[in-house]
């Protein structure tokens, strides 16, 4: 799959049902501190993500990922510090399209936006150590494994550790194919 076949669009409230199609699935949120979502929880998430586009200064940039007209994932870039030029990316992909490069395509576009449009210096991401697919995506993005943070989130089966990855602006520019 070409990364250009996945487009990111600003999230809209009308996207909530498509997002709910996977946010309600136990396998989709297995490694997350949220979910499986009720319809109200998904609507609340989408409403807050849409409203974040109007915040000043904007810190949360939430997108839906599409293959054609089909919403197959979400991706977010959070500016954690404007002063320190630090951001965090996260993504979620519908299980029916796992393994097709969609998470990597979402991540590339989020990094490009963070470094290119927002002028960030460092962007990081975390994932559950058991989520090998997500760790592979972060490595494919050129992010460096920084370490394991212990007991960072409470999820259904207990405390979860987080693997932390990051990439710096000059590393992205050296690696960015565009």
């Amino acid at each position: 799959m070409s990364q250009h076949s996945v487009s990111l669009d600003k999230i809209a409230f009308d996207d909530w049902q498509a997002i709910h199609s996977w946010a309600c699935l136990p396998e989709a949120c297995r490694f997350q501190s949220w979910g499986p979502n009720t319809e109200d929880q998904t609507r609340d998430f989408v409403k807050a993500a849409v409203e974040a586009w109007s915040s000043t200064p904007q810190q949360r940039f939430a997108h839906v990922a599409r293959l054609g007209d089909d919403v197959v994932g979400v991706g977010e870039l959070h500016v954690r510090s404007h002063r320190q030029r630090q951001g965090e990316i996260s993504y979620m992909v519908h299980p029916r399209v796992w393994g097709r490069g969609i998470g990597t395509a979402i991540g590339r576009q989020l990094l490009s936006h963070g470094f290119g449009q927002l002028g960030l210096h460092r962007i990081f991401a975390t994932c559950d150590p058991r989520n090998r697919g997500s760790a592979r995506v972060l490595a494919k993005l050129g992010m460096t494994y920084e370490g394991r943070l212990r007991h960072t989130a409470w999820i259904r089966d207990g405390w979860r550790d987080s693997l932390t990855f990051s990439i710096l602006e000059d590393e992205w520019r050296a690696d960015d194919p565009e």
Side-chain angles (χ1 to χ4, degrees):
M1 165 186 304
S2 159
Q3 73 181 43
H4 300 291
S5 61
V6 176
S7 64
L8 289 189
D9 298 318
K10 189 188 316 188
I11 196 168
F13 188 73
D14 290 346
D15 295 320
W16 83 267
Q17 287 177 307
I19 293 167
H20 189 68
S21 73
W22 72 81
C24 68
L25 300 175
E27 66 269 26
C29 54
R30 176 177 170 211
F31 302 118
Q32 305 302 323
S33 59
W34 55 268
N37 279 8
T38 64
E39 287 187 355
D40 284 342
Q41 288 170 322
T42 301
R43 277 193 292 266
D44 289 347
F45 162 79
V46 173
K47 182 176 185 270
V50 169
E51 289 172 354
W53 281 92
S54 302
S55 297
T56 305
Q58 187 174 351
Q59 291 188 258
R60 183 179 179 195
F61 299 82
H63 299 83
V64 291
R66 296 183 197 279
L67 275 176
D69 292 331
D70 190 19
V71 174
V72 294
V74 293
E76 292 197 38
L77 172 63
H78 288 259
V79 177
R80 296 300 184 192
S81 171
H82 286 284
R83 185 168 173 255
Q84 297 296 324
R85 298 173 44 215
Q86 307 279 317
E88 177 180 12
I89 61 168
S90 60
Y91 49 85
M92 177 70 60
V93 177
H94 196 301
R96 71 178 159 78
V97 294
W98 282 353
R100 292 178 49 193
I102 292 168
T104 304
I106 292 169
R108 276 198 183 103
Q109 292 177 59
L110 293 173
L111 291 173
S112 181
H113 180 72
F115 292 125
Q117 284 77 42
L118 300 178
L120 296 178
H121 173 70
R122 177 181 180 271
I123 299 175
F124 70 95
T126 63
C127 70
D128 187 306
R130 298 169 295 177
N131 191 345
R132 291 188 177 112
S134 191
R136 280 192 302 271
V137 165
L138 298 173
K140 280 184 204 172
L141 292 171
M143 299 181 89
T144 299
Y145 172 69
E146 293 185 335
R148 183 181 188 127
L149 302 174
R150 299 180 319 147
H151 290 202
T152 59
W154 177 262
I155 62 175
R156 289 154 300 286
D157 60 354
W159 283 105
R160 181 197 99 173
D161 290 356
S162 291
L163 303 182
T164 302
F165 294 78
S166 75
I167 188 167
L168 304 178
E169 180 180 17
D170 60 341
E171 295 167 335
W172 174 255
R173 300 225 184 276
D175 204 33
D176 188 11
E178 296 174 11

